[in-house]
Amino acid sequence: MIRERYLNGLVLVLLLAVPLWALINDQPFTITLATRAAIFALAAVGLNIALGLGGLVSLGHAAFFGIGGYAMGILAYHAQTYTPVMELPFVIEGTKSMPIIWLVAMVTSGTAALLIGLLSLRTTGVYFIMITLAFGQMFYFFSISWIAYGGEDGLSIYIRNDFPGLNTLVPINFFAICFTLLCLVLFINGLVARSPFGLALNAARQAPQRVQTVGLDPQRLKLVAFVLSGVITGLAGALFADLNRFVSPTMFSWQTSGEIMIFVILGGTARLCGPVVGAVVFVMLEHALGGLSEYWHIYLGALLLLVVLFARGGLVGLISGRAVAHD
Amino acid sequence: MTDPILATHNLQKSFGALKATDNVSIDLYPGEIHAIIGPNGAGKSTLIAQICGELKPNAGRIELLGQDVTHTNTLTRAKAGIGRTFQISALAMEDTVLQNVLLGAVGAVGSPWRFLFPVLADKLLYSKANDALKRVGLQGDAARRTSDLSHGQRRQLEVAVALTLEPKAFVMDEPMAGLGAEGSKTLTSFLDGLRDEAPILLVEHDMDAVFALADRISVLVYGQIIETGTVDQIRSSKAVREAYLGSDT
């Protein structure tokens, strides 16, 4: 058994070491893979706040991932075509600045999470899963029919967006941005889990009745967690679109929601670095097995089955044992 | 006479044709333990659920400190001063004992909206939680996972969480349930001392505990209070004996 905090450190060091190794050996594709893993991890860290801490099994997190993606796509598309996003009642110009795009992605996905959460949180259990799935699908079909932004074909962005002082087209630079954001969000996640809010949310998942009798509203706690979760997944969506320089309705699809959930469950629900481990393993399998067969998901399915059956705490739980309440 | 801390007036609740609560008026005065006893299915839990705001009565009124709280929810009543313990422990089982009492402290202080500050570093919350644990005798178990506690210790923890709220009235749903003789004795002597802090509305099956603790007892049968009185009055009541043992037929 390795203590979880050491394991977390090890995972992050490895995720940093691989692209550095690739940089020295001039293998830019490996850097791109690591970047992909870091972005998926970020999306899953977002879901982990809702799922792990709040117990909210959302099968609609692709909505936030996609909103983040389209926030980037739309702003960058207008910047590259020199057209305003809208003119009435006031003019909004497109932009190629990453920080502004991130902010827009987080605000829009947070707003969507607030609205979706307000409705979805009236339900629990399987109904909650279905209603979040339904919202995700609504966004999916909306994006398909949104011809102005490519409809089914999606939107291509020719040049990666700018970050002050960095050439973002250099793979290692873009990896550095994504990795830094991941670490920052993990740090914040760690703080939130130990805060009064985290404590109350954790209890709201396990014993909502108890939370009420101490005068706290479990629904409101869960709603805030859902919004926080949506904001982070939205940020990941913007980065993902920037990595590919392309957005399409696929980002909104329920398979995307499922994959984000798989990262969390594979790595370990409610474990700080569970989503990171899950995303890294996923990208590794995708890369290693994807070359062998188009149907590599069969192996992923088998692995997921094993983890769910024999390692309830996910891969992190398998290595570090059950969670220590406050380390 | 002083005003009651907690009172119900002609409370009624039906489930279809079943009158679970039938015109129930009870009150709880400062410094007293008022026990509610009755056979299984008498409507004790339904009554408690209405008092705590989980069930809406069909008719009647509930007052806390003279204020009508009939139409408020659990949350508002908890904030207004009802400290409740559950029949089946409702605790965050994956969390430590300390975290469970800290939750009470967070609720008491009313500040769950701090996201980046470690809860354990908040001296006020910590001391509130620690005091409550000390009082119920669980301070040595603070770091243990709640699911690892014995049944009796969970009951103590339930009480500790209620203590952190510094309630105006305790409403306890069978705190002795499942406790051994020793555990029951310990909790009895603890509750005995608690009444000076806030009165206790006690629903309990353990008659030894009820007779040892209660200043007044109300007997609930088929949703109706058939008798309210002191321990001696209840012991000698014919109606109560009939309700419990059945009349000669």
Side-chain angles (χ1 to χ4, degrees), chain B residues 212-228:
Chain B
L213 282 173
D215 298 296
R216 284 189 300 154
I217 299 176
S218 289
V219 184
L220 193 67
V221 178
Y222 294 124
Q224 287 180 321
I225 300 279
I226 58 166
E227 192 90 56
T228 295

Side-chain angles (χ1 to χ4, degrees), chain A residues 188 191-203 205-207 209-218 220-221 224 228 322-326, chain B residues 54 74-75 78-79 84 86 90-96 99 102-104 106-108 111-120 145 148 158 161 165:
Chain A
I188 292 172
L191 288 179
V192 168
R194 285 167 163 70
S195 70
F197 171 75
L199 179 87
L201 178 64
N202 206 3
R205 168 173 54 85
Q206 300 172 58
Q209 234 186 344
R210 159 64 59 210
V211 175
Q212 269 191 333
T213 49
V214 301
L216 303 175
D217 186 347
R220 201 180 290 180
L221 291 163
V224 172
L228 201 60
R322 79 180 187 180
V324 180
H326 268 251
Chain B
E54 286 146 33
T74 311
L75 220 66
K79 283 183 190 157
R84 177 197 182 156
F86 290 91
L91 298 161
M93 290 295 172
E94 293 170 22
D95 289 356
T96 61
Q99 284 174 314
L102 275 170
L103 174 72
V106 169
S111 64
W113 307 116
R114 285 180 301 163
F115 298 86
L116 303 177
F117 186 80
V119 67
L120 286 172
R145 186 184 274 244
D148 294 341
E158 280 271 336
V161 178
L165 299 171

Side-chain angles (χ1 to χ4, degrees), chain A residues 76-96:
Chain A
Y77 170 77
H78 284 285
Q80 78 185 9
T81 55
Y82 301 102
T83 50
V85 178
M86 59 184 243
E87 285 174 300
L88 289 171
F90 44 85
V91 179
I92 296 180
E93 300 282 356
T95 177
K96 298 287 281 177

Side-chain angles (χ1 to χ4, degrees), chain B residues 17-99:
Chain B
L18 176 76
K19 283 187 176 170
T21 307
D22 190 1
N23 230 11
V24 169
S25 299
I26 50 164
D27 42 27
L28 183 67
Y29 286 91
E32 77 166 344
I33 294 182
H34 187 160
I36 297 173
I37 61 171
N40 284 326
K44 301 186 295 289
S45 292
T46 308
L47 179 62
I48 292 274
Q50 290 171 82
I51 290 172
C52 295
E54 286 146 33
L55 272 180
K56 282 213 177 316
N58 299 124
R61 220 166 65 243
I62 301 164
E63 282 178 7
L64 180 65
L65 298 166
Q67 300 282 321
D68 188 339
V69 294
T70 318
H71 301 290
T72 60
N73 60 15
T74 311
L75 220 66
T76 317
R77 287 187 215 185
K79 283 183 190 157
I82 291 186
R84 177 197 182 156
T85 71
F86 290 91
Q87 183 178 359
I88 299 161
S89 298
L91 298 161
M93 290 295 172
E94 293 170 22
D95 289 356
T96 61
V97 169
L98 180 63
Q99 284 174 314

Side-chain angles (χ1 to χ4, degrees), chain A residues 14-186:
Chain A
L14 278 178
L15 184 56
L16 180 64
V18 169
L20 289 179
W21 171 86
L23 178 70
I24 295 165
N25 291 285
D26 196 24
Q27 298 199 359
F29 181 66
T30 307
I31 301 177
T32 303
L33 278 184
T35 312
R36 188 175 162 84
I39 294 171
F40 279 160
L42 185 62
V45 169
L47 177 62
N48 200 23
I49 290 180
L51 180 64
L53 281 178
L56 302 168
V57 187
S58 162
L59 202 49
H61 258 53
F64 313 125
F65 197 60
I67 287 171
Y70 270 84
M72 173 276 176
I74 291 169
L75 288 172
Y77 170 77
H78 284 285
Q80 78 185 9
T81 55
Y82 301 102
T83 50
V85 178
M86 59 184 243
E87 285 174 300
L88 289 171
F90 44 85
V91 179
I92 296 180
E93 300 282 356
T95 177
K96 298 287 281 177
S97 159
M98 277 190 195
I100 295 174
I101 288 171
W102 296 343
L103 192 67
V104 172
M106 292 196 293
V107 170
T108 46
S109 51
T111 310
L114 179 67
L115 298 175
I116 293 175
L118 274 173
L119 289 167
S120 312
L121 281 167
R122 292 162 172 267
T123 63
T124 53
V126 74
Y127 299 101
F128 182 82
I129 300 177
M130 283 300 119
I131 199 166
T132 49
L133 173 65
F135 274 114
Q137 290 302 88
M138 277 165 59
F139 278 99
Y140 175 68
F141 286 106
F142 178 76
S143 65
I144 282 185
S145 60
W146 205 5
I147 304 300
Y149 294 112
E152 208 166 350
D153 299 329
L155 262 182
S156 283
I157 305 301
Y158 303 125
I159 292 179
R160 189 167 285 154
N161 295 307
D162 309 321
F163 188 83
L166 275 183
N167 180 356
T168 53
L169 276 171
V170 176
I172 195 73
N173 286 352
F174 189 58
F175 171 81
I177 290 173
C178 297
F179 185 75
T180 308
L181 284 174
L182 174 64
C183 289
L184 187 69
V185 168
L186 281 173

Side-chain angles (χ1 to χ4, degrees), chain A residues 234-308:
Chain A
L235 173 64
L239 292 172
F240 189 68
D242 233 333
L243 173 71
N244 302 323
R245 281 174 274 157
F246 177 66
V247 277
S248 76
T250 314
M251 285 184 77
F252 279 122
S253 72
W254 67 271
Q255 286 95 332
T256 305
S257 293
E259 279 175 1
I260 300 175
M261 194 180 288
I262 288 172
F263 305 151
V264 176
I265 296 171
L266 198 60
T269 314
R271 313 302 283 257
L272 185 62
C273 278
V276 184
V277 173
V280 167
V281 169
F282 181 90
V283 171
M284 274 164 50
L285 284 177
E286 183 184 47
H287 178 61
L289 301 174
L292 297 178
S293 161
E294 200 183 323
Y295 305 109
W296 69 275
H297 283 90
I298 294 174
Y299 303 104
L300 176 70
L303 177 66
L304 191 64
L305 206 62
L306 288 175
V307 165
V308 170

